[in-house]
Amino acid sequence: MYTHQKHVITQGKPLSETGKALIMIHGRGATAQSILSLADHLPVEDFSLFAPQATNHSWYPYSFMAPIEQNQPALDSALAQVHDLVKAIAQEGISSQNIYLLGFSQGACLTAEYAARKAQQFGGLFLFTGGLIGPQVTTSRYKGTFEGTPVLITTGDPDPHVPVSRVEETAQIMEAQGAVVTKKIYKGRPHTISPEELDLARPLLAGSPEE
């Protein structure tokens, strides 16, 4: 078992110029650089991009639906990595409404779990093939309100790692926390991010920053 060494790759203009941050969280076996490559397909020229790198290329060792304790201490360390990054961006004077989070697969699960535990008005959440973590969804872990945060959550049906039922539960819980959720399930789609999903993400990123 492991805890994560802090390692974040940044891309784009500095926060002092953009006033907007997009945190991009990679999947199992992948890299910060690989998730940053999505920026080539999204309207993020006016964002500062941040991509944390998981130690051992994995945020936690087992399935996201394994008992929580089996994924410790890596899971708590991963959640702390995301929280510390959000906090550091906020300390640069960036409001939560101008902080966006995006994850794929294991990274989408980590993003969902972090955001639901620390719900606030984010700029937007992009959960590409992921859902809340644990064998069952334990609503007592999820605090705060999203105050209308737009959330895009997508998956394939079937997906080898993420059951459609967990995506649906995640959407319901986030809606109950005040998010405006767009859920899309693609029949027969492989475990990847499709052009159609990026098309759905673009308008949520293209809005102007709020003061």
Side-chain angles (χ1 to χ4, degrees):
M1 292 303 216
Y2 50 87
T3 55
H4 295 279
Q5 301 299 311
K6 186 176 180 181
H7 181 47
V8 179
I9 296 177
T10 58
Q11 187 171 302
K13 301 171 190 171
L15 280 171
S16 57
E17 289 184 36
T18 65
K20 290 191 294 188
L22 174 61
I23 298 170
M24 307 177 77
I25 303 181
H26 68 77
R28 188 188 298 273
T31 63
Q33 287 96 337
S34 68
I35 196 79
L36 279 168
S37 69
L38 281 182
D40 296 339
H41 308 283
L42 294 169
V44 292
E45 299 81 6
D46 296 324
F47 282 78
S48 303
L49 307 180
F50 298 82
Q53 174 64 54
T55 299
N56 300 335
H57 302 280
S58 180
W59 292 110
Y60 42 85
Y62 299 106
S63 163
F64 83 112
M65 297 184 74
I68 292 273
E69 56 272 17
Q70 285 187 11
N71 278 317
Q72 299 295 16
L75 175 58
D76 279 352
S77 176
L79 289 165
Q81 284 264 57
V82 181
H83 179 62
D84 289 348
L85 182 52
V86 170
K87 194 162 62 174
I89 291 167
Q91 286 170 349
E92 294 288 320
I94 308 303
S95 68
S96 64
Q97 300 100 301
N98 288 318
I99 300 175
Y100 297 67
L101 295 103
L102 177 155
F104 170 62
S105 193
Q106 191 187 54
C109 298
L110 181 62
T111 301
E113 187 71 15
Y114 166 75
R117 291 189 187 198
K118 306 278 188 186
Q120 53 195 301
Q121 188 181 8
F122 293 108
L125 304 176
F126 305 90
L127 310 175
F128 295 118
T129 312
L132 293 167
I133 292 175
Q136 297 88 31
V137 171
T138 306
T139 54
S140 60
R141 283 203 300 267
Y142 307 126
K143 312 290 186 188
T145 174
F146 285 115
E147 298 179 49
T149 297
V151 175
L152 173 63
I153 183 166
T154 62
T155 195
D157 181 16
D159 182 85
H161 306 291
V162 180
V164 169
S165 59
R166 180 55 58 92
V167 169
E168 290 171 339
E169 285 179 289
T170 301
Q172 289 167 2
I173 285 170
M174 289 187 161
E175 284 176 338
Q177 287 181 280
V180 178
V181 178
T182 300
K183 178 186 71 182
K184 293 290 182 182
I185 296 165
Y186 297 91
K187 286 285 184 187
R189 191 214 65 188
H191 190 72
T192 186
I193 301 174
S194 68
E196 292 85 356
E197 290 162 271
L198 295 174
D199 286 345
L200 291 173
R202 286 188 188 99
L204 301 182
L205 287 162
S208 58
E210 299 177 31
E211 295 303 323

